[in-house]
Amino acid sequence: MRTLAQNARLALLLEVAGTPKPGNVDRRRDLEELRFDHFLAGTVGTERGLELAQEGEPVGRAFERAVEGMAAQGGGNTQFGALLLVVPLVRAAAGSEPLSPGAAEDVVADTSVADAAGFYRAFDHVDVFVDEPSADLEPLDVRRGSDAVPALEERELTLLDVMERSVPGDDVAREWTTGFERSFTAADRLAEADGPATDRAAAVFLSLLAERPDTLVASRRSESVARAVSDRAAALDERDALETDPDAVEEFADDLVERGINPGTTADLTAAGLFIALENGRVTV
């Protein structure tokens, strides 16, 4: 029987191995500076941080340690957003069986200023794309990493407070404020899908992208580009193209990679859904 931390690492591996996931690294596609093997190495590096979450350590400490380990490979940021979802879910699962939205809500509601500081320190370990903050929030710019912790402490912001300030522009942060709504939806869809877990991951990724524009794409490119990508995914998902016209989905995947459009938030949600489904026994590997 796998431990919580092992299921979390397996979820990260299954997510990146799902193919095709348009615009993202998968078994057959690398990005310009980020490869499939970087994701494998990054997952190995998360081990101790995920174990800390399993052991009941504070979310901020466990997250920072997981990110530090993840970053010890040559590609840079592979799973920062996924870990921001999976770490609190592991912490919730350590005290709740089965893992539920209510248990996850309790964990994030209990986060502290120290947890927020751990989140900020995680930015010292790896570069993460973040929008420019407004002038009044510049002292709290997460890209300052540990240098911003004094301002964070002065304002007495918990990690949940930090996440709430990032909504609606960041759908990973949105999960913290909605009981991990889309993560649990992804888990339901994974359980209902057919085939190997990697095929299910690809199908669920496409369905999530189809129903809501990816916020990373919106931030990096524009909201109109994000909507266009989502509309194209919806057209493919509506006609079950992974089964009926897989070449069309492969073409979509290649096109997004060539254009440098990366729906990374949708991949993060898929990883979180995989962990929930694995932990609750609804997907077996």
Side-chain angles (χ1 to χ4, degrees):
M1 182 175 179
R2 286 187 293 266
T3 66
L4 290 169
Q6 287 171 339
N7 266 340
R9 294 201 306 280
L10 177 58
L12 297 175
L13 292 170
L14 291 172
E15 186 283 313
V16 73
T19 303
K21 295 193 318 298
N24 286 267
V25 171
D26 62 26
R27 294 195 310 273
R28 292 196 289 270
R29 291 170 187 83
D30 294 328
L31 303 184
E32 186 174 350
E33 297 181 353
L34 197 59
R35 303 191 306 268
F36 182 69
D37 58 316
H38 291 139
F39 278 79
L40 302 183
T43 299
V44 171
T46 66
E47 179 175 11
R48 185 56 190 145
L50 293 170
E51 288 175 344
L52 289 174
Q54 175 185 298
E55 293 163 7
E57 292 294 323
V59 169
R61 180 187 176 209
F63 176 74
E64 183 194 354
R65 181 65 185 84
V67 170
E68 180 183 15
M70 174 213 69
Q73 36 76 26
N77 176 26
T78 52
Q79 291 127 331
F80 190 99
L83 289 169
L84 192 52
L85 296 174
V86 171
V87 167
L89 288 169
V90 170
R91 181 70 181 81
S96 173
E97 186 178 337
L99 174 57
S100 67
E105 286 179 318
D106 288 345
V107 166
V108 300
D110 196 42
T111 56
S112 65
V113 176
D115 289 314
F119 170 70
Y120 270 71
R121 284 192 295 269
F123 285 84
D124 291 341
H125 303 299
V126 67
D127 289 331
V128 180
F129 179 85
V130 180
D131 273 342
E132 292 281 347
S134 59
D136 62 313
L137 292 178
E138 194 280 330
L140 292 171
D141 186 349
V142 292
R143 292 169 300 183
R144 297 182 63 215
S146 55
D147 289 341
V149 169
L152 181 78
E153 293 174 337
E154 180 181 352
R155 302 192 191 194
E156 298 184 338
L157 297 176
T158 70
L159 185 46
L160 178 56
D161 292 332
V162 173
M163 293 299 107
E164 288 174 338
R165 286 167 175 253
S166 300
V167 178
D170 183 345
D171 271 2
V172 169
R174 181 178 179 272
E175 289 294 280
W176 277 60
T177 69
T178 62
F180 293 74
E181 176 184 28
R182 296 187 75 207
S183 299
F184 279 92
T185 294
D188 290 340
R189 293 179 185 174
L190 286 157
E192 294 163 2
D194 296 321
T198 49
D199 290 353
R200 297 186 193 198
V204 170
F205 171 90
L206 188 64
S207 76
L208 292 170
L209 184 59
E211 72 182 6
R212 186 176 173 89
D214 189 278
T215 51
L216 181 62
V217 175
S219 296
R220 281 183 164 175
R221 304 296 289 267
S222 69
E223 291 186 6
S224 62
V225 169
R227 283 194 300 271
V229 169
S230 185
D231 288 346
R232 189 171 173 187
L236 292 167
D237 190 52
E238 185 176 357
R239 59 189 176 94
D240 196 19
L242 277 169
E243 292 292 332
T244 63
D245 190 5
D247 288 346
V249 185
E250 295 283 357
E251 181 182 344
F252 181 34
D254 291 338
D255 178 52
L256 292 191
V257 169
E258 288 170 8
R259 294 164 60 195
I261 297 174
N262 170 220
T265 298
T266 307
D268 298 335
L269 293 164
T270 303
L274 281 161
F275 171 70
I276 295 166
L278 288 166
E279 187 55 34
N280 286 348
R282 303 186 67 194
V283 169
T284 58
V285 177

